Amino acid sequence: MIPNTSSPKTQKERGAFSTPDWVVRLMLGFLRPMASPAPRVLEPACGDCTFLRGLREVHPALFAKAEKVGVELHPASPKGEPGGVRVIEHDFLLWEEREAKYDLIMGNPPYGIPSPSKHYAYRVSSATRSEYKKRFRTWFGKYNVYGAFIEKAVRLLKPGGQLLFIVPATFLLLDDFKKLRAFLAEEGQTQLVYMGDGVFRPSASITTVILNFIRGREDAGRLLLQDYDAETGGLKEIRRLAAWHGEIITFTTEFTERLSALCSARLGDVFAVKVSPRTPEIRGNPLIAKEPTPEMLPILNGRNLKRGKILYEPLSGYWIHPRHKNKLRKFFETPHVVVGLGFRGDRELGAAYDALAYPWMGDVYHLLPHHSLWRTTHLEPADVVNYLNSPLVGRYIRDSFREIVYHLNITLLKLIPIPEEALGNVKKFPLPKQEAQFPTKPS
């Protein structure tokens, strides 16, 4: 979505950042031929019609013969619209156009979790948010508004119609978008071009993909994931699926494939992964104290977890009596491996063994053995800790999930390959040099 003012606050509140011209031209290079003599073209959240302007520049003949529509909640623009465009002043998500009749829909939808709360940047009223949730079948969890834009745009496409959006890449991995991924897999074929986190800098550091979607049940479930190489302007294939059903979309490299081949299981095969109580649960619990008695235990959090070590110190400011810790979580009674999931930049995954079985809170996860499988392995807890703290796992995380998310969730953590046998072969596995990252802006 293109803002109508240069105010950073306005951009943030609307989830709106201008699309660079080179990205618009790149996206328009994916256009397929249109059979209709008078194709219908739509730009949702059009702002000053950046994509329609690009269409006029890159495909002037198509622009001239097309019926062109823009929808924008704040249509005032210092540039004005390009000739022949009908701009409708409306919230695209509440716009009552229901008929699937567009040959091409293109743009840069806003992003953000819509909420009346001051804790979220994308501010909408409670009534508007409730209306959004009622209208979209893909709405789930802490849904991001760009997902609703994708769903509505797909529904407005004719069979064979094309959707070209640049959107955050989070829908590839997060559980909040599982319904959206399944919807895309049902409705047509999906091409994703990974652009990295540099497209909108310096205004924002958002990891993005170009979504090129063709509606049509006959080709439903086809998926192509590619990298964009700005140095050559070319595309590098990462993976291709003929029968995608909406599963999370991870990245593969020679390294991830070789490590997976050496490991006979995934973490989720050997362990159940549980999450610690969150702060609101702790804060509102009558068993929790902020002024402890001598027999109480401090509740540990992420600051107590170091790689290979736990600091049994009162850092959270919350305490509980030992006989009550199982009322927070039953597994707090049993020693087990704990994992911290921050890994972006220098923050890699960190694991340690909680031999004293303390209570925890916050972004710390707990690995509880599936005992039928655990008994068949030759692993000890120390092996698991050392392996999860190793450069091998750090590299696997970076290669598979890239910089899309700040923290791994349970679903992603369960995907980490883990050996069921002793770690000898894996420890000898060479860690390759880090490949150069593709730039996201051409020189």
Side-chain angles (χ1 to χ4, degrees):
M1 176 179 175
I2 312 303
N4 297 320
T5 171
S6 60
S7 165
K9 181 178 180 182
T10 299
Q11 286 185 333
K12 188 174 182 180
E13 288 178 353
R14 297 179 186 173
F17 295 93
S18 298
T19 312
D21 290 341
W22 70 270
V23 176
V24 175
R25 291 192 295 270
L26 172 65
M27 292 171 65
L28 291 172
F30 293 115
L31 280 189
R32 303 201 321 171
M34 298 183 194
S36 173
R40 303 194 71 192
V41 179
L42 172 66
E43 182 178 352
C46 62
D48 59 10
C49 300
T50 296
F51 282 82
L52 288 166
R53 291 175 184 280
L55 185 67
R56 182 177 60 183
E57 175 187 340
V58 178
H59 300 284
L62 173 60
F63 182 88
K65 69 178 182 179
E67 178 186 345
K68 301 166 285 289
V69 179
V71 179
E72 172 57 61
L73 185 57
H74 307 279
S77 170
K79 295 181 181 179
E81 294 80 30
V85 176
R86 179 167 63 99
V87 175
I88 300 169
E89 183 175 356
H90 214 295
D91 180 341
F92 176 71
L93 298 182
L94 303 180
W95 182 41
E96 293 296 335
E97 181 76 276
R98 298 183 184 275
E99 184 181 350
K101 56 186 179 182
Y102 288 94
D103 299 276
L104 171 64
I105 300 176
M106 57 185 179
N108 170 15
Y111 79 96
I113 297 173
S115 172
S117 170
K118 64 181 180 180
H119 297 294
Y120 295 96
Y122 195 92
R123 302 289 290 278
V124 298
S125 68
S126 296
T128 297
R129 186 176 185 275
S130 296
E131 188 62 29
Y132 287 167
K133 292 178 69 174
K134 283 191 282 186
R135 292 186 179 219
F136 297 101
R137 59 173 271 199
T138 60
W139 202 282
F140 181 79
K142 288 186 176 180
Y143 205 46
N144 196 298
V145 71
Y146 79 82
F149 267 74
I150 292 173
E151 179 184 338
K152 180 156 188 177
V154 168
R155 294 190 184 281
L156 291 178
L157 288 174
K158 295 177 182 177
Q162 183 173 11
L163 172 63
L164 284 170
F165 271 174
I166 184 163
V167 292
T170 46
F171 80 96
L172 278 64
L173 298 176
L174 294 184
D175 291 339
D176 300 297
F177 297 97
K178 64 182 183 180
K179 291 185 177 182
L180 177 65
R181 291 192 299 267
F183 172 75
L184 290 173
E186 292 170 5
E187 292 292 332
Q189 58 179 306
T190 303
Q191 177 188 10
L192 298 166
V193 180
Y194 183 78
M195 301 296 290
D197 64 356
V199 167
F200 293 104
R201 286 181 175 173
S203 299
S205 178
I206 308 165
T207 304
T208 58
V209 292
I210 294 171
L211 170 62
N212 179 17
F213 179 85
I214 308 298
R215 191 175 192 186
R217 293 297 178 94
E218 64 277 5
D219 294 320
R222 294 184 182 179
L223 174 71
L224 174 62
L225 176 64
Q226 297 171 299
D227 261 323
Y228 173 67
D229 183 349
E231 291 184 343
T232 65
L235 301 178
K236 177 184 177 182
E237 181 173 322
I238 300 171
R239 63 187 309 186
R240 183 188 296 266
L241 299 174
W244 178 54
H245 301 289
E247 301 87 355
I248 65 171
I249 303 167
T250 60
F251 296 80
T252 58
T253 64
E254 181 182 354
F255 172 82
T256 63
E257 291 175 349
R258 291 175 63 197
L259 182 60
S260 295
L262 281 174
C263 296
S264 52
R266 301 279 178 161
L267 197 70
D269 297 328
V270 182
F271 294 97
V273 183
K274 303 292 183 180
V275 65
S276 301
R278 301 301 187 185
T279 300
E281 181 181 347
I282 296 295
R283 187 184 294 130
N285 194 315
L287 299 175
I288 306 299
K290 297 205 74 173
E291 297 294 334
T293 57
E295 68 273 17
M296 284 187 167
L297 295 175
I299 298 178
L300 308 185
N301 62 19
R303 292 185 296 158
N304 294 92
L305 175 59
K306 306 300 178 184
R307 304 184 79 195
K309 182 180 180 181
I310 292 172
L311 306 178
Y312 293 100
E313 300 174 4
L315 301 180
S316 71
Y318 295 101
W319 303 71
I320 194 170
H321 196 283
R323 68 173 178 269
H324 292 148
K325 64 180 181 178
N326 67 341
K327 295 182 179 179
L328 287 178
R329 297 290 187 271
K330 288 188 179 298
F331 56 80
F332 285 158
E333 296 181 319
T334 306
H336 59 274
V337 174
V338 293
V339 179
L341 303 180
F343 65 90
R344 196 171 190 182
D346 294 331
R347 298 172 60 216
E348 295 188 350
L349 185 148
Y353 185 64
D354 182 5
L356 301 183
Y358 265 53
W360 291 80
M361 64 180 290
D363 291 327
V364 175
Y365 289 74
H366 307 266
L367 306 187
L368 308 174
H370 291 307
H371 288 288
S372 59
L373 290 174
W374 181 251
R375 284 195 293 267
T376 67
T377 72
H378 294 79
L379 297 176
E380 297 293 335
D383 294 323
V384 177
V385 168
N386 290 336
Y387 172 69
L388 293 178
N389 287 333
S390 72
L392 294 175
V393 172
R395 173 63 185 274
Y396 182 87
I397 288 171
R398 289 190 296 273
D399 280 13
S400 297
F401 313 132
R402 299 203 177 177
E403 64 271 26
I404 293 174
V405 291
Y406 287 94
H407 298 280
L408 296 185
N409 56 27
I410 288 177
T411 300
L412 301 182
L413 184 60
K414 287 181 177 180
L415 293 178
I416 294 174
I418 188 168
E420 290 185 80
E421 301 296 329
L423 298 179
N425 289 335
V426 174
K427 286 180 180 177
K428 296 175 184 177
F429 181 55
L431 185 67
K433 294 180 180 180
Q434 182 72 32
E435 293 93 349
Q437 294 296 308
F438 288 139
T440 54
K441 185 175 182 179
S443 56

